[in-house]
Amino acid sequence: MMTTVNPQRPDVATTGTMFAGADIRSDAVDRLHAPSPEMFKREYVDKRRPAVITGLMDTWPAMERWSFDYFRKHFGDLDIHANIQNLDGKLILGHVGNFRPMKLSALLDDIEANEDPSRAYYLRAFPVHRMIEHFPGLAEDYELPDLAPNWADIRYRAKWRTGTVNPARLLGLYLAKTFLNRGAGKPATRSAISSRVAAVMFVGGKGTVTPFHSDGMQTAAYLNQVVGRKRCYFVSPDQDARMYPRAFRRQFGMAQVDYRRPDLDRQPLFRDVVVEETILHPGETLYVPSSYWHAIEAMDASISYSHQIVNDDNALGWLRCIPERYLAQIYFKSQGGLRNVTGAKDWDDWA
Ligand SMILES: O=C(O)CCC(=O)C(=O)O
Ligand SMILES: [Fe+2]
């Protein structure tokens, strides 16, 4: 296995979880400190380039508050579906071990007790609005990065320079309410609409993995790292064929290659994949562009908060996914459902 270490940052190491022989660029993801919104939009959002951003979370109370004890205290009796990972098996989204219903406290117990990272428990992409319903104080712990406009967040004050309300944002909210904010058979509050459309939580042990995918409905994302480090692998969307996307690529973007143990006889194009690798530290925000393939591995026990982004860069793609969503829903129900991917109980929960 290949190992490269950057002497400036000894924890930036490619320890070989990617298949041997892959072309890994471990310095290709830019690190930016508190970039200006104009520069960030021009160089990263519009060009769809990933980045690690520092300085956005410095004022977040979450940086002080969030710990496994804090989660146990406020969310211990939350019902979740934990992904019991089997990292000796296939690493393809939808196939990483099993899911088991449990209280969040049982997952936290496992994080503290488990000594076998190939069997770690993961709560992946749990809808934050479910957590806020449980403990409203959580909403005070983080802020939206004031970087790219985000129509998917109701708190985003999108106004034209003239001061009138941005009609695109109104359309986004209307669509979010009509098409995405379903489930439980009741209308949600404004804050829940925001987090429902836009925010998910990740809590897991050392070793937990989200295999290669691009985010659903063409959204971009900020992955805000609060506790622990994560190794992040990126593959640009112009390499789609090398990733062997599953049906509904735009809707779910699931790759069918196992990046640690690819079957290069059956998936020969993956041999030529070019991978950008970086390490995300606590207090750092990963910008994941729309349609960009990514795989994430927890190097420590970890808590991350991810915020989805819709704006003029990806809104058309997002809108085009809405009708397709119904077809995709039927397809995925026939395949065992989204329970195989997220920590939410059902599809509507996850939206
Ligand atoms: O941290 C992870 O396990 C996955 C994060 C991710 O895929 C995202 O935020 O889009
Ligand atoms: Fe993702």
Side-chain angles (χ1 to χ4, degrees):
M1 293 251 176
M2 177 168 48
T3 302
T4 53
V5 176
N6 174 344
Q8 258 70 54
R9 297 183 69 104
D11 56 348
V12 178
T14 301
T15 51
T17 55
M18 186 65 67
F19 78 97
D23 183 351
I24 303 179
R25 315 269 160 96
S26 29
D27 53 0
V29 178
D30 292 347
R31 304 186 78 82
L32 317 168
H33 183 71
S36 76
E38 295 74 26
M39 187 280 271
F40 184 71
K41 177 153 186 354
R42 190 180 63 239
E43 296 300 323
Y44 295 91
V45 177
D46 292 349
K47 293 185 181 163
R48 295 198 173 174
R49 287 169 58 202
V52 173
I53 313 164
T54 55
L56 295 182
M57 301 167 66
D58 294 353
T59 57
W60 283 27
M63 292 307 299
E64 297 286 319
R65 291 182 190 156
W66 289 8
S67 65
F68 300 111
D69 283 345
Y70 181 85
F71 274 59
R72 183 178 276 108
K73 180 167 166 210
H74 295 295
F75 305 106
D77 60 346
L78 197 67
D79 290 309
I80 59 158
H81 281 79
N83 182 196
I84 318 294
Q85 301 217 310
N86 174 6
L87 302 187
D88 303 324
K90 261 207 237 171
L91 273 195
I92 295 175
L93 201 57
H95 295 275
V96 191
N98 325 309
F99 279 76
R100 195 180 296 160
M102 62 178 67
K103 298 284 181 195
L104 183 62
S105 59
L107 178 133
L108 297 170
D109 291 348
D110 183 82
I111 289 175
E112 274 159 3
N114 181 35
E115 287 173 0
D116 178 2
S118 68
R119 296 283 183 281
Y121 284 24
Y122 203 13
L123 177 65
R124 180 188 300 119
F126 191 82
V128 170
H129 74 278
R130 288 276 175 246
M131 302 183 79
I132 292 177
E133 280 163 18
H134 207 78
F135 170 57
L138 185 77
E140 310 298 320
D141 289 349
Y142 52 85
E143 285 154 31
L144 262 191
D146 199 13
L147 262 185
N150 191 359
W151 304 346
D153 198 294
I154 202 164
R155 291 165 296 181
Y156 173 65
R157 285 190 297 273
K159 300 225 169 157
W160 295 123
R161 288 204 178 82
T162 57
T164 54
V165 174
N166 182 342
R169 173 172 177 263
L170 290 180
L171 175 68
L173 283 178
Y174 170 76
L175 290 167
K177 272 187 181 164
T178 311
F179 293 103
L180 298 181
N181 188 39
R182 306 183 316 135
K186 55 173 190 203
T189 61
R190 281 173 74 85
S191 66
I193 292 167
S194 160
S195 48
R196 169 168 228 130
V197 175
V200 286
M201 191 76 79
F202 298 83
V203 182
K206 176 177 175 163
T208 50
V209 170
T210 298
F212 269 107
H213 67 284
S214 66
D215 284 356
M217 298 192 74
Q218 314 274 284
T219 53
Y222 297 118
L223 179 63
N224 301 285
Q225 191 59 20
V226 180
V227 174
R229 296 163 304 163
K230 281 184 163 171
R231 172 178 288 112
C232 313
Y233 291 122
F234 284 107
V235 171
S236 55
D238 58 358
Q239 302 185 68
D240 268 13
R242 293 173 178 163
M243 305 304 283
Y244 296 87
R246 203 169 164 184
F248 296 99
R249 188 263 180 265
R250 281 205 308 270
Q251 185 74 227
F252 290 114
M254 293 182 182
Q256 297 184 100
V257 275
D258 177 345
Y259 66 95
R260 291 186 183 173
R261 290 173 293 265
D263 183 344
L264 294 173
D265 292 331
R266 292 184 55 208
Q267 297 167 326
L269 300 178
F270 191 62
R271 192 190 307 273
D272 298 321
V273 73
V274 178
V275 181
E276 301 154 79
E277 186 238 21
T278 194
I279 309 277
L280 191 67
H281 299 82
E284 296 181 339
T285 302
L286 187 71
Y287 176 66
V288 183
S290 173
S291 305
Y292 225 95
W293 299 100
H294 50 288
I296 313 273
E297 304 174 341
M299 300 168 72
D300 308 300
S302 160
I303 302 177
S304 335
Y305 168 95
S306 174
H307 215 106
Q308 306 305 124
I309 308 166
V310 178
N311 57 31
D312 58 353
D313 167 53
N314 58 346
L316 261 185
W318 185 71
L319 285 173
R320 278 172 51 200
C321 284
I322 288 175
E324 205 181 284
R325 191 172 169 79
Y326 295 99
L327 273 180
Q329 186 166 354
I330 293 164
Y331 170 76
F332 271 86
K333 279 206 169 129
S334 77
Q335 305 267 312
L338 268 180
R339 199 170 289 180
N340 291 339
V341 178
T342 81
K345 281 200 288 279
D346 57 42
W347 174 285
D348 280 335
D349 242 4
W350 187 64

